[in-house]
Amino acid sequence: MRNFGLYIPTRVVFGKDTHLQVGELIKESGGHKVFVHYGGKSARESGLLDQVFDSLTEAGLSYVSLGGVRPNPRLSKVYEGIDLCKKEGVDFILAVGGGSVIDSSKAIGYGVADPEADVWEFYTHTREIHGCLPIGAVLTIAAAGSEMSDSSVITNEDGWLKRGCHSDLGRCRFAILNPRLTYTLPQYQTECGCVDILMHTMERYFVNIETMEIVDGMSEALMQTVIYNARILMSEPGNYNARAEIMWAGSLSHNGLMGCGTGGGDWACHQLAHELGGRYDVTHGAALAAIWGSWARYVYKANPERFAQFATNVFGIACDGMDFEKTALAGIEALEDFFRSIEMPTDLKELGLELSDSDIRELAFKCSYEDTRTIGVFRLNMKDMERIYQIANGNKSLLT
């Protein structure tokens, strides 16, 4: 059993109408002047923002707001938020939205707390994070898990680089999880979120070391829960119980619990998908679905027993004797069949991309930090990354 650390300081307030408590929660957290950060028009048109503003006013809190956060949140919006927070003297950030809004809020919090720094340096890992304004979240999209994680991912428009950083200082003080706030999401966004949640567990599950039985069991149950309820939401988008299961799974998947004893996880698929998101602005969950099967077929022989365990314990595929490779491939195919059942892509063409060889080389070059690093526990170098992109682009001959 390997050593590990677990730190989950975020207070969770879960259930119907819980967003109406936001003013008091900020007040209890010591906030006085609030920076409300949000995405597009849906938060305003649904009436959610007005309800949040009313709650802040009733709690005696003043506030300023900034919307316009996009999927694959932009560095330029982060800079705008930092400037506004400094100008207005805010002491608390409230993210109203999904992972993109929360990630942008974390970046703004880092930048305000360290006014001499260029916040992008935290994401290129050339400067250490020393502080962050306190952050709370009203979650409207079950996907990224940023409401309980230590991570934040930002896209720099200069070069279209998508980079992440991790710090416990950026963990939310509280997260309000009201499944009803996800009802207005388009089906595509809902299912993309389900894939993202699933992949946060799978990135920690597919490792090349001995793992803990109890963590494996929790991870496999979480994956089954997401798969089951994602299918329900295809035909019953207003099913509260399914929405609730998915929302809580999103937080549990990325708060660190599923990574205990796994050595930190693999994360190669996330790195590969980040380049697709940064360059082509595709939805993160869809990018993960489009790249995963190609990655899995490229690496599974390094640990076929692990992939076979996934096939058996998540999809109920019997392992024929000791033929782990056959079972592993059946499990990979089963997950791709699930992606198709929720109308998610399983390759780059289905994602809407047709890439040239030079496009793929550029993606691999950026993902490898200009051929200076490997990714994942299977230690994929730039050439490996290029091959996986090629396989996802339709060149299946590279698997033989």
Side-chain angles (χ1 to χ4, degrees):
M1 188 175 291
R2 297 175 183 272
N3 295 359
F4 64 85
L6 182 63
Y7 180 60
I8 312 176
T10 303
R11 177 181 178 183
V12 175
V13 184
F14 190 102
K16 301 172 183 177
D17 298 330
T18 48
H19 63 288
L20 301 178
Q21 303 175 34
V22 65
E24 287 302 319
L25 288 168
I26 293 175
K27 197 172 180 179
E28 291 173 13
S29 299
H32 298 88
K33 188 167 186 178
V34 184
F35 172 72
V36 181
H37 203 28
Y38 63 97
K41 60 183 181 180
S42 61
R44 187 175 296 280
E45 292 180 349
S46 68
L48 174 59
L49 270 182
D50 286 338
Q51 290 178 323
V52 167
F53 293 155
D54 288 345
S55 181
L56 298 181
T57 300
E58 290 170 7
L61 302 172
S62 58
Y63 61 87
V64 295
S65 63
L66 177 66
V69 180
R70 302 177 58 181
N72 302 305
R74 306 294 200 262
L75 181 62
S76 59
K77 183 61 67 174
V78 170
Y79 287 144
E80 185 180 352
I82 291 170
D83 290 342
L84 182 58
C85 285
K86 289 178 179 177
K87 177 183 175 182
E88 296 291 337
V90 304
D91 60 8
F92 197 96
I93 297 175
L94 178 67
V96 180
S100 295
V101 174
I102 301 171
D103 283 5
S104 184
S105 296
K106 291 179 181 181
I108 291 168
Y110 297 143
V112 175
D114 194 347
E116 302 302 317
D118 179 347
V119 68
W120 183 242
E121 294 176 305
F122 301 139
Y123 291 82
T124 57
H125 307 288
T126 54
R127 183 186 287 262
E128 185 177 349
I129 296 170
H130 294 293
C132 186
L133 282 187
I135 299 170
V138 177
L139 190 65
T140 63
I141 304 172
S146 189
E147 68 278 0
M148 288 190 75
S149 79
D150 66 351
S151 64
S152 168
V153 181
I154 298 295
T155 297
N156 187 341
E157 300 97 317
D158 183 8
W160 296 105
L161 300 172
K162 188 172 181 178
R163 297 290 180 261
C165 72
H166 298 262
S167 174
D168 284 332
L169 296 169
R171 288 184 184 267
C172 291
R173 300 295 179 89
F174 64 80
I176 294 174
L177 276 58
N178 177 358
R180 284 180 168 172
L181 298 182
T182 69
Y183 280 9
T184 59
L185 284 174
Q187 185 181 78
Y188 180 77
Q189 292 293 336
T190 295
E191 300 300 343
C192 281
C194 292
V195 174
D196 199 6
I197 294 166
L198 189 63
M199 288 297 301
H200 283 152
T201 297
M202 291 169 64
E203 295 280 24
R204 295 172 168 93
Y205 183 86
F206 285 107
V207 292
N208 208 18
I209 59 174
E210 184 179 357
T211 55
M212 297 174 65
E213 181 180 343
I214 188 169
V215 175
D216 281 357
M218 288 189 295
S219 296
E220 290 157 359
L222 193 152
M223 288 186 275
Q224 287 182 317
T225 295
V226 173
I227 290 168
Y228 177 78
N229 287 285
R231 286 177 168 145
I232 290 176
L233 290 176
M234 284 294 294
S235 58
E236 301 177 44
N239 187 311
Y240 179 84
N241 288 337
R243 292 271 177 189
E245 295 280 3
I246 291 295
M247 181 168 265
W248 188 224
S251 295
L252 291 178
S253 185
H254 205 32
N255 68 3
L257 183 61
M258 301 304 153
C260 293
T262 68
D266 182 75
W267 301 104
C269 286
H270 265 71
Q271 298 298 316
L272 294 164
H274 280 168
E275 298 307 326
L276 294 170
R279 178 67 181 84
Y280 301 105
D281 205 24
V282 292
T283 303
H284 182 53
L288 288 167
I291 206 73
W292 185 82
S294 298
W295 166 84
R297 288 184 175 87
Y298 192 79
V299 304
Y300 82 95
K301 289 184 179 180
N303 193 350
E305 294 90 343
R306 188 65 171 170
F307 282 85
Q309 178 180 326
F310 167 78
T312 298
N313 292 352
V314 175
F315 286 103
I317 299 170
C319 188
D320 185 12
M322 298 296 287
D323 195 345
F324 295 121
E325 290 193 13
K326 179 181 177 181
T327 307
L329 284 171
I332 293 169
E333 291 168 2
L335 187 63
E336 287 184 319
D337 285 342
F338 162 69
F339 288 154
R340 295 184 188 99
S341 76
I342 60 171
E343 299 180 1
M344 286 289 103
T346 58
D347 59 34
L348 296 183
K349 184 176 181 180
E350 292 176 4
L351 186 61
L353 302 176
E354 291 189 24
L355 305 185
S356 66
D357 289 344
S358 61
D359 292 331
I360 288 173
R361 281 193 296 272
E362 179 184 0
L363 289 170
F365 187 64
K366 288 181 177 179
C367 191
S368 65
Y369 290 5
E370 301 181 0
D371 203 13
T372 63
R373 70 161 183 166
T374 61
I375 60 172
V377 299
F378 301 103
R379 302 188 64 81
L380 305 175
N381 59 29
M382 179 178 163
K383 184 58 67 175
D384 295 318
M385 299 175 207
E386 191 173 340
R387 287 173 181 149
I388 291 170
Y389 282 130
Q390 288 281 12
I391 294 165
N393 202 42
N395 190 353
K396 306 300 183 184
S397 64
L398 293 173
L399 290 171
T400 58

